[in-house]
Amino acid sequence: MQTTNSYSLEKDIESVLISEQQIREMTDRLAADISKAYQSTIEEGRKLVLLTILKGSVLFSAELVKKITIPAELEFMKVSSYGAGTKTSGEIRIHLDLLRDDLPNLDILVIEDIVDSGRTLFRLTQMLRNRGAHSVKTVTMLDKPSRREVQFVPDFCGFQIPDKFVVGYGLDYNEEYRTLPFVGVLKPEIYAPKQTP
Ligand code: PRP
């Protein structure tokens, strides 16, 4: 039987785009690729830092990091980009920063839930490189390439998706739906209610 909470969230979902099972399989694949790609980090005496970007990436990150088979440290940042609607890459606002004094010894893998315009990761990766990290790469659960406004390609990607309004598995609409265990398409009447004449 469904709980009231689950029912009240799921009734707003038009369709399931990516199921919990698909997310499990996708994180198996990504974790294997990542573990292989960062073998040299450990062999060469550096540290792998898995940098989760709050809040949307938390569910994806939790599923992914436990499957990575090489030693790694966990860090968190909260950032947002602004400057949308312009031709520039915009700026980034840091709400919670990464405070490390050993950046030259770190290979940082930024973990994101979604790449949309690309502004957030474009600016964040540039900033971490400028601060002196040994390397900065990115993994995203979802990528919407059709929405790109700056040139940015994630190093590891779970699924490329069409330009649909998706929520769940960390993704929100007005802070709701993050706790759904799948990625679903939100019914249009939720985010674009019909105007009454
Ligand atoms: C979302 C998402 C990415 C960013 C992607 O974060 O988690 O960080 O937007 O968009 P972009 O490619 O257009 O920059 P949001 O600012 O909504 O914060 P949240 O993770 O707390 O929901």
Side-chain angles (χ1 to χ4, degrees), residues 51-111:
L51 177 59
T52 300
I53 306 305
L54 301 171
K55 301 175 192 173
S57 311
V58 165
L59 277 77
F60 170 57
S61 174
E63 186 66 22
L64 179 70
V65 302
K66 65 188 177 189
K67 296 176 177 174
I68 293 174
T69 54
I70 57 174
E73 296 184 10
L74 301 183
E75 293 284 2
F76 299 86
M77 284 184 79
K78 181 159 172 52
V79 301
S80 57
S81 68
Y82 53 102
T86 69
K87 291 280 179 220
T88 68
S89 62
E91 292 300 324
I92 201 167
R93 190 172 298 178
I94 299 173
H95 307 279
L96 174 70
D97 207 347
L98 172 69
L99 302 175
R100 301 281 302 224
D101 56 12
D102 56 348
L103 284 165
N105 196 41
L106 302 186
D107 287 332
I108 298 176
L109 180 64
V110 181
I111 302 179

Side-chain angles (χ1 to χ4, degrees), residues 85-157:
T86 69
K87 291 280 179 220
T88 68
S89 62
E91 292 300 324
I92 201 167
R93 190 172 298 178
I94 299 173
H95 307 279
L96 174 70
D97 207 347
L98 172 69
L99 302 175
R100 301 281 302 224
D101 56 12
D102 56 348
L103 284 165
N105 196 41
L106 302 186
D107 287 332
I108 298 176
L109 180 64
V110 181
I111 302 179
E112 264 289 22
D113 53 342
I114 190 164
V115 183
D116 193 334
S117 72
R119 289 173 191 278
T120 304
L121 282 184
F122 179 90
R123 293 291 297 163
L124 179 63
T125 52
Q126 189 179 56
M127 189 191 79
L128 293 169
R129 286 186 191 111
N130 288 344
R131 287 183 182 184
H134 181 268
S135 77
V136 182
K137 290 189 175 180
T138 57
V139 55
T140 187
M141 174 171 70
L142 306 176
D143 188 8
K144 275 186 185 174
S146 63
R147 296 263 304 171
R148 209 64 101 247
E149 294 174 19
V150 296
Q151 197 179 353
F152 180 83
V153 180
D155 296 282
F156 303 91
C157 174

